[in-house]
Amino acid sequence: MNHPYEIIDRLPTVQEHQALWEAVGWGSVNTEMTKESLARSLYGVVAVHQGKTVGMGRIVGDGAMYFYIQDVAVLPEHQGNGIGARIIERVMEFIAERRFPNGVAFAGLFASEGKDKFYEKYGFQDYSPGMTGMFKVLDK
């Protein structure tokens, strides 16, 4: 089957990241900070359609035990075509290939509002109240 979308193992460029970030409504992003953040990623994947990057996903973490899935985004006009699924499948393949041999790997993420059911299809679950995902934003 010939897919109209190609999944490529590479990080998005700063400009691609910014365009996707803003297109999905995550606000604006400091591109100097993004450049540094992307450079420190463990892995990245992009979805390309007719030469244009229309989706992305990446992993940050220690590369052995902890893997955090970050920035999974697909341009709104391309959502519903299985791109997000292909991105998550490739990201999970990377984790399975790279985790410490015979060790346990923890893959985490924060789902955007309304997207939790999508991630549940890939085995992600809410562990509350026993465990609660938390974060703090340092912006000042």
Side-chain angles (χ1 to χ4, degrees):
M1 179 168 136
N2 190 9
H3 269 285
Y5 299 96
E6 184 179 7
I7 304 301
I8 302 171
D9 292 337
R10 73 163 173 84
L11 289 165
T13 66
V14 172
Q15 294 77 22
E16 290 167 340
H17 181 274
Q18 180 183 21
L20 285 158
W21 181 283
E22 293 175 357
V24 297
W26 291 343
S28 60
V29 66
N30 177 320
T31 54
E32 289 182 34
M33 180 178 63
T34 301
K35 180 180 178 184
E36 295 296 320
S37 180
L38 289 170
R40 290 176 172 86
S41 300
L42 293 175
Y43 171 75
V45 62
V46 293
V48 177
H49 177 68
Q50 297 177 345
K52 180 181 179 187
T53 297
V54 299
M56 67 177 176
R58 67 185 179 117
I59 301 171
V60 298
D62 64 20
M65 185 174 179
Y66 294 104
F67 299 85
Y68 184 76
I69 299 168
Q70 185 66 42
D71 298 340
V72 176
V74 175
L75 288 177
E77 60 269 27
H78 291 274
Q79 292 177 6
N81 294 321
I83 301 166
R86 291 180 65 201
I87 289 171
I88 288 297
E89 288 165 6
R90 184 61 200 115
V91 163
M92 295 307 295
E93 287 171 8
F94 177 89
I95 293 170
E97 293 164 1
R98 298 295 174 96
R99 70 185 182 94
F100 193 79
N102 302 315
V104 64
F106 294 91
L109 57 79
F110 282 97
S112 295
E113 185 176 0
K115 300 294 185 182
D116 52 330
K117 297 293 183 211
F118 170 79
Y119 293 107
E120 287 173 1
K121 292 187 288 188
Y122 298 94
F124 290 91
Q125 56 186 302
D126 180 350
Y127 282 93
S128 61
M131 282 193 276
T132 303
M134 301 173 74
F135 68 96
K136 179 178 180 175
V137 176
L138 302 169
D139 61 354
K140 301 276 184 234

